[in-house]
């Protein structure tokens, strides 16, 4: 199923959600790590924490991505799309998800914007693919990156993860 173009999000030719998701991972992979490096100040001396935390990063990232896709996309989209258009529902979902990240990771106004954009894309993918897979998979990878940066920062993991 191809990604549907938006007025500010045009494609020259149709692109599948699978290919678009891989492209998103590349784009997010270029934007998120520098932002996390700047906001979390990871230390190379904490590499041992990363190695210890890796199994937990996988489990926590999977649970967090599944929870947030259910809570912020599946539930909200099921309710909103019965009363407003899909495009309006995407915007509401994106705003709720983005604002919820002000104190989470990524944090601050940059985090609100990045999480909001991710939330919009993930909501769009769920409606257009009639499924959970694209949203979950790309969200999981982003959470893995975030968790790895948290493990290498001086931040206490239990209080920083949201």
């Amino acid at each position: 199923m191809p990604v549907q173009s938006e007025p500010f999000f045009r494609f020259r030719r149709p692109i599948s959600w699978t290919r678009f998701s891989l492209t998103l991972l590349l784009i997010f992979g270029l934007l998120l790590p520098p932002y996390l490096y700047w906001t979390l100040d990871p230390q190379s001396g904490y590499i041992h924490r990363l190695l210890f935390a890796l199994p937990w990063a996988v489990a926590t990232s999977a649970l967090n991505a599944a929870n947030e896709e259910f809570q912020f996309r599946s539930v909200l989209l099921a309710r909103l799309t019965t009363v407003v258009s899909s495009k309006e529902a995407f915007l509401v979902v994106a705003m709720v998800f983005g604002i919820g990240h002000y104190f989470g990771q990524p944090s601050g106004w940059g985090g609100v914007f990045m999480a909001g954009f991710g939330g919009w894309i993930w909501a769009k993918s769920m409606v257009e693919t009639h499924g959970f897979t694209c949203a979950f998979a790309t969200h999981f990878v982003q959470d893995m990156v975030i968790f790895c940066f948290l493990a290498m920062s001086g931040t206490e993991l239990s209080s920083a993860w949201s």
Side-chain angles (χ1 to χ4, degrees):
M1 174 166 287
V3 178
Q4 302 298 309
S5 289
E6 301 286 340
F8 61 91
F9 210 63
R10 297 240 179 245
F11 302 102
R12 285 185 250 155
R13 56 189 159 99
I15 183 171
S16 71
W17 269 103
T18 301
R19 185 176 174 135
F20 185 62
S21 294
L22 293 172
T23 304
L24 280 176
L25 285 176
L26 178 64
I27 293 167
F28 290 165
L30 293 173
L31 298 175
L32 185 60
Y35 186 80
L36 293 172
Y37 184 84
W38 179 57
T39 58
L40 292 175
D41 190 32
Q43 305 295 314
S44 60
Y46 288 144
I47 194 76
H48 67 282
R49 287 176 66 176
L50 175 60
L51 297 173
F52 174 76
L54 209 49
W56 296 106
V58 172
T60 304
S61 296
L63 289 171
N64 188 64
N67 174 59
E68 288 185 351
E69 290 311 317
F70 177 76
Q71 180 181 2
F72 289 102
R73 251 77 61 203
S74 296
V75 172
L76 289 177
L77 287 171
R79 297 291 184 208
L80 288 171
T81 54
T82 63
V83 293
V84 297
S85 73
S86 292
K87 291 179 183 196
E88 292 168 324
F90 300 160
L91 185 59
V92 170
V93 166
M95 289 175 18
V96 169
F97 189 66
I99 291 168
H101 277 78
Y102 184 82
F103 293 107
Q105 288 301 333
S107 62
W109 290 111
V112 168
F113 176 75
M114 285 190 282
F117 181 72
W120 181 81
I121 291 287
W122 295 325
K124 184 172 173 55
S125 79
M126 285 185 132
V127 169
E128 291 182 8
T129 65
H130 304 286
F132 190 82
T133 305
C134 288
F136 171 77
T138 54
H139 194 158
F140 169 77
V141 171
Q142 297 310 301
D143 282 353
M144 281 292 298
V145 171
I146 292 167
F147 196 86
C148 289
F149 270 86
L150 284 170
M152 291 187 61
S153 75
T155 307
E156 180 64 37
L157 293 176
S158 61
S159 65
W161 186 256
S162 66

